[in-house]
């Protein structure tokens, strides 16, 4: 049988025995993950890894292993999902330097877990937050928009760069009537703010978070509560901004005072506003991109850092939207 001319092989050799197991994963699970994703054969023998398969896939696997080894050399704790994120990044652009992304530690959680960007767009987002006063992060669910912004806010507070953190969301009814929920107004809107609390508790101990909320150092409130205020010396995150109206977005953005940083996050494909109501986030995207000091960062399904099936779900809905648009034009 004739050999496939596109089939090739490569060998990666690594110097430090102590790091090889971290690179390979438990029972070579990281290598198996790469082999399955790229449809190549990977065989590890001691410090050497032999790769065989399609020439493009082999080159990608070789590049990936070399760069992952560089991460573990720099004491990066490599988890299975990191292998997936790295593979996504290099598949999109083989020139990406994983070291520049993964070693940019934003914050260390109460559980001693590092929070770092996992894709070039996440890295660009972090750099934008560092360098601009107002940043918009727009893209699908699971791309780390709110979580990374929260990490930057907690870091800024811990370093004394701001005096408080303000987290806000529009309380928009998504298929359920707010008036029928039990309790007073605070209890009614609490479910809308719960994801912000969850992210906070993931980064700080529950007791510390509760204490800072009691003191007003951290405020979690519906967007309507921002009206009439001037927000100085604060790190402010507006989450789920696709559900703001044009008037609400203008109100929010004009609350910003001195020494404050604002991050606005949202997914313009998941608007829960009533029919006929324009999204303030979509309008902002159209009219504010030319203003110096404001930065927009756009995420795609390739930046998803949740279960890998989330990427497939997003892709399926994107294809459905395209089919619907095609049917409209027929």
């Amino acid at each position: 049988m004739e050999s496939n001319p596109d089939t090739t092989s490569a060998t990666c050799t690594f110097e430090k025995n102590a790091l090889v197991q971290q690179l390979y994963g438990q029972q070579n699970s990281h290598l198996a993950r790469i082999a399955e994703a790229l449809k190549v054969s990977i065989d590890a023998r001691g410090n050497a890894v032999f790769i065989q398969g399609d020439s493009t896939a082999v080159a990608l696997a070789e590049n990936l292993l070399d760069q992952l080894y560089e991460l573990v050399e720099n004491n990066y704790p490599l988890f299975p999902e990191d292998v997936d994120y790295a593979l996504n990044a290099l598949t999109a652009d083989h020139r990406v330097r994983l070291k520049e992304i993964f070693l940019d530690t934003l914050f260390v959680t109460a559980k001693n877990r590092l929070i770092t960007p996992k894709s070039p767009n996440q890295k660009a987002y972090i750099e934008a937050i560092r360098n601009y006063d107002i940043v918009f992060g727009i893209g699908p669910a699971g791309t780390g928009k709110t979580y990374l912004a929260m990490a930057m806010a907690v870091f800024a507070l811990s370093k004394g760069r701001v005096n408080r953190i303000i987290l806000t969301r529009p309380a928009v009814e998504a298929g359920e009537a707010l008036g029928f929920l039990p309790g007073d107004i605070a209890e009614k809107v609490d479910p809308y703010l719960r994801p912000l609390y969850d992210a906070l508790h993931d980064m700080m101990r529950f007791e510390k978070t509760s204490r800072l909320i009691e003191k007003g150092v951290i405020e979690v409130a519906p967007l309507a509560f921002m009206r009439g205020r001037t927000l100085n010396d604060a790190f402010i995150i507006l989450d789920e901004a696709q559900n703001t109206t044009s008037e609400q977005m203008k109100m929010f953005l004009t609350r910003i005072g001195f020494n404050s940083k604002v991050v606005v996050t949202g997914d313009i494909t998941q608007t829960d506003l009533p029919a006929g109501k324009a999204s303030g986030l979509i309008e902002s995207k159209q009219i504010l991109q030319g203003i110096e000091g404001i930065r927009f960062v756009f995420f795609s399904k390739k930046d998803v850092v949740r279960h890998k099936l989330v990427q497939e779900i997003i892709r399926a809905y994107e294809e459905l939207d395209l089919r619907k648009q095609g049917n409209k034009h027929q």
Side-chain angles (χ1 to χ4, degrees):
M1 186 175 71
E2 294 184 6
S3 61
N4 185 340
D6 291 331
T7 299
T8 188
S9 61
T11 303
C12 297
T13 305
F14 307 103
E15 295 179 359
K16 300 177 182 177
N17 288 326
L19 300 180
V20 166
Q21 190 53 53
Q22 295 178 49
L23 175 65
Y24 293 177
Q26 190 172 14
Q27 297 181 333
N28 291 353
S29 58
H30 294 166
L31 300 182
R33 210 175 187 93
I34 297 168
E36 181 181 1
L38 296 180
K39 310 301 180 193
V40 295
S41 169
I42 297 182
D43 182 24
R45 301 174 197 168
N47 287 14
V49 176
F50 302 91
I51 313 165
Q52 188 169 17
D54 174 79
S55 57
T56 302
V58 167
L60 178 55
E62 187 176 14
N63 185 14
L64 176 62
L65 285 170
D66 285 340
Q67 293 207 50
L68 290 177
Y69 182 73
E70 191 175 22
L71 292 181
V72 297
E73 274 191 310
N74 283 274
N75 300 315
Y76 184 86
L78 193 63
F79 293 98
E81 56 268 25
D82 292 318
V83 176
D84 295 337
Y85 305 147
L87 183 55
N88 286 340
L90 288 174
T91 300
D93 184 355
H94 67 91
R95 297 166 299 180
V96 164
R97 300 306 304 165
L98 298 180
K99 183 177 173 182
E100 295 175 2
I101 299 172
F102 284 70
L103 296 184
D104 186 359
T105 301
L106 311 180
F107 190 73
V108 181
T109 71
K111 299 175 183 176
N112 287 324
R113 189 165 60 83
L114 301 180
I115 299 177
T116 70
K118 304 294 185 184
S119 73
N121 280 338
Q122 288 193 354
K123 173 69 173 176
Y125 182 54
I126 292 307
E127 290 297 333
I129 294 173
R130 285 178 176 142
N131 298 316
Y132 291 81
D133 289 336
I134 301 178
V135 175
F136 287 78
I138 300 176
T143 49
K145 305 181 299 294
T146 304
Y147 196 80
L148 292 175
M150 192 78 76
M152 293 294 283
V154 173
F155 177 79
L157 181 67
S158 69
K159 296 298 181 182
R161 295 175 185 174
V162 295
N163 293 333
R164 55 184 171 155
I165 296 172
I166 299 173
L167 311 172
T168 185
R169 269 186 163 196
V172 174
E173 299 172 8
E176 296 181 6
L178 188 60
F180 287 98
L181 292 173
D184 58 23
I185 185 62
E187 291 170 320
K188 286 177 186 289
V189 299
D190 187 68
Y192 295 95
L193 305 173
R194 181 52 49 191
L196 298 175
Y197 285 111
D198 290 343
L200 265 177
H201 293 152
D202 199 33
M203 295 175 197
M204 306 169 68
R205 295 192 184 280
F206 182 86
E207 298 79 10
K208 183 176 182 180
T209 302
S210 300
R211 189 166 63 250
L212 291 176
I213 290 174
E214 285 176 9
K215 291 181 177 179
V217 176
I218 296 177
E219 179 182 350
V220 186
L223 180 58
F225 288 23
M226 299 298 112
R227 192 174 297 279
R229 302 173 62 182
T230 300
L231 307 175
N232 294 315
D233 299 304
F235 196 118
I236 311 142
I237 300 172
L238 170 57
D239 192 35
E240 297 289 333
Q242 74 274 7
N243 290 328
T244 60
T245 63
S246 176
E247 296 79 12
Q248 286 175 325
M249 181 63 80
K250 180 182 177 183
M251 177 275 292
F252 171 75
L253 292 175
T254 54
R255 299 305 93 205
I256 301 160
F258 295 105
N259 192 40
S260 285
K261 191 175 288 286
V262 171
V263 181
V264 178
T265 71
D267 177 1
I268 57 178
T269 69
Q270 293 194 39
T271 300
D272 296 316
L273 290 169
K277 268 286 185 183
S279 166
L281 180 61
I282 294 175
E283 184 180 73
S284 297
K285 174 175 169 285
Q286 295 167 345
I287 67 174
L288 299 181
Q289 287 197 62
I291 297 179
E292 188 175 351
I294 298 178
R295 181 65 184 264
F296 283 76
V297 179
F298 298 94
F299 297 88
S300 73
K301 59 180 177 291
K302 293 179 181 177
D303 300 298
V304 170
V305 290
R306 291 181 183 170
H307 194 290
K308 59 183 179 182
L309 282 176
V310 175
Q311 286 190 6
E312 294 301 312
I313 292 168
I314 293 170
R315 181 188 58 77
Y317 276 99
E318 285 177 348
E319 291 176 355
L320 176 62
D321 289 340
L322 289 174
R323 288 198 299 273
K324 287 180 177 178
Q325 291 172 15
N327 291 335
K328 286 180 181 179
H329 293 101
Q330 287 181 359

